[in-house]
Amino acid sequence: MTMNTLEKLGAFNVWANTTVLNRLDEIAATGQELPPVVLRLFSHVLNAQAIWISRITGTTSPVKVWQEHDLAGCQALHERTSEPLHQLMVNADETELQRLISYTNSLGDSYESLVHDILTHAVVHASYHRAQVATRLRDHGFEPVNSDFITYCRELSAAAQKAVPSL
């Protein structure tokens, strides 16, 4: 069986965003204020997903690249973007992955990129900024969560082992 790495990265991205949001929810539930920089960075992760989805699908983005959201807004945008981004990875055939997208970035510069490269970038970009979220949480005295890819893989393996009955 061949593993589709892009699909696995997409599933990881959903898991990682959910994991970070759950931690932010935990902090907020204690009555402590989330550092604004944390919400700004995580908003950017989700905004970027929305923007890339709109570029791939030829639709208008509902958000701007550095638009800020409160925690509820982040939850809503996560629901609207993380799994849909993953589904683009699941459903893309080789023709779609090799399709060239023309777009203009937030600075007004024009580019062309392959759908495969855009989808890969979206996950790498999100990982980069989730690491910044973790750093900023720690800077403000909060323990961050581990949202590393290998942690996701370990959780998958542990879940699979529990699902297999012992002989």
Side-chain angles (χ1 to χ4, degrees):
M1 177 166 57
T2 303
M3 179 182 302
N4 184 322
T5 302
L6 193 58
E7 287 181 32
K8 189 170 186 179
L9 286 173
F12 154 70
N13 190 63
V14 173
W15 170 87
N17 286 342
T18 302
T19 299
V20 170
L21 275 169
N22 288 345
R23 178 65 182 125
L24 298 181
D25 282 341
E26 288 172 3
I27 293 168
T30 67
Q32 298 178 83
E33 185 179 340
L34 290 169
V37 66
V38 167
L39 286 173
R40 181 173 193 265
L41 287 166
F42 201 66
S43 292
H44 176 67
V45 167
L46 301 170
N47 293 338
Q49 290 182 172
I51 291 165
W52 286 118
I53 290 168
S54 70
R55 288 173 179 163
I56 291 169
T57 60
T59 58
T60 302
S61 174
V63 293
K64 300 292 183 200
V65 70
W66 283 104
Q67 184 175 333
E68 295 185 35
H69 310 285
D70 60 11
L71 189 53
C74 285
Q75 289 280 11
L77 196 53
H78 165 62
E79 295 297 323
R80 288 175 52 198
T81 63
S82 295
E83 184 57 33
L85 183 68
H86 176 223
Q87 288 305 308
L88 286 174
M89 297 171 185
V90 169
N91 295 323
D93 61 13
E94 195 58 34
T95 301
E96 174 63 6
L97 292 173
Q98 296 304 317
R99 185 168 61 100
L100 205 55
I101 302 286
S102 298
Y103 59 93
T104 304
N105 71 5
S106 61
L107 301 175
D109 299 324
S110 295
Y111 294 98
E112 287 187 333
S113 298
L114 294 175
V115 169
H116 184 276
D117 293 341
I118 289 169
L119 294 172
T120 304
H121 166 75
V123 175
V124 173
H125 175 265
S127 293
Y128 172 80
H129 287 297
R130 282 190 298 265
Q132 290 181 317
V133 166
T135 300
R136 296 302 176 267
L137 283 172
R138 184 165 276 125
D139 289 348
H140 286 85
F142 298 106
E143 189 61 31
V145 293
N146 182 333
S147 62
D148 288 342
F149 178 73
I150 199 66
T151 303
Y152 167 73
C153 294
R154 290 173 186 151
E155 286 190 16
L156 279 182
S157 293
Q161 287 178 351
K162 286 181 185 175
V164 175
S166 300
L167 295 178

